[in-house]
């Protein structure tokens, strides 16, 4: 005779269809279908970036640490931090992670020369 715990699991398993996850698949009340997730930043700020800020942002998007960025661009780590602070303000992101996501999403716009 199966234990009461295994009997309960077996009974619970029969209560749901085999492919059902147990998560309510019905949309939330008032939601009109799938929505696009919000992305960080303001793409209009890209036009205000200096060429060096664009370079730093692209490297941030490649997950490069400040030391690697400073070596690649032949600038000090302190200068990298200054560029990062300035570009984050211009594109309206508040963390390095948001800056990396922003750089990934808007890579082509960042690569274009400033007008």
């Amino acid at each position: 005779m199966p234990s009461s715990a295994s009997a309960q699991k077996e009974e619970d398993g029969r209560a749901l269809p085999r492919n059902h996850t147990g998560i309510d698949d019905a949309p939330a009340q008032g939601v009109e279908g799938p929505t696009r997730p919000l992305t960080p930043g303001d793409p209009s700020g890209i036009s205000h970036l200096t060429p060096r800020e664009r370079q730093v942002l692209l490297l941030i998007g490649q997950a490069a640490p400040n030391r690697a960025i400073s070596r690649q661009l032949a600038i000090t780590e302190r200068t990298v931090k200054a560029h990062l602070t300035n570009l984050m303000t211009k594109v309206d992101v508040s963390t390095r992670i948001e800056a990396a996501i922003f750089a990934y999403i808007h890579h082509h716009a960042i690569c274009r020369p400033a007008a």
Side-chain angles (χ1 to χ4, degrees), residues 78-95:
R78 185 174 178 178
T79 303
V80 172
K81 290 176 187 177
H83 287 311
L84 185 55
T85 299
N86 292 337
L87 72 85
M88 288 173 63
T89 300
K90 290 177 182 180
V91 298
D92 194 27
V93 295
S94 55
T95 67

Side-chain angles (χ1 to χ4, degrees), residues 45-105:
I46 294 171
S47 64
H48 302 291
L49 297 175
T50 66
R52 184 62 88 184
E53 289 168 346
R54 288 170 183 259
Q55 290 174 323
V56 170
L57 183 56
L58 289 171
L59 291 168
I60 292 292
Q62 296 173 10
N66 288 356
R67 180 168 288 163
I69 295 170
S70 71
R71 287 181 181 155
Q72 185 166 343
L73 300 180
I75 57 178
T76 67
E77 284 185 63
R78 185 174 178 178
T79 303
V80 172
K81 290 176 187 177
H83 287 311
L84 185 55
T85 299
N86 292 337
L87 72 85
M88 288 173 63
T89 300
K90 290 177 182 180
V91 298
D92 194 27
V93 295
S94 55
T95 67
R96 186 183 187 99
I97 296 294
E98 286 182 351
I101 293 168
F102 182 88
Y104 179 79
I105 293 169

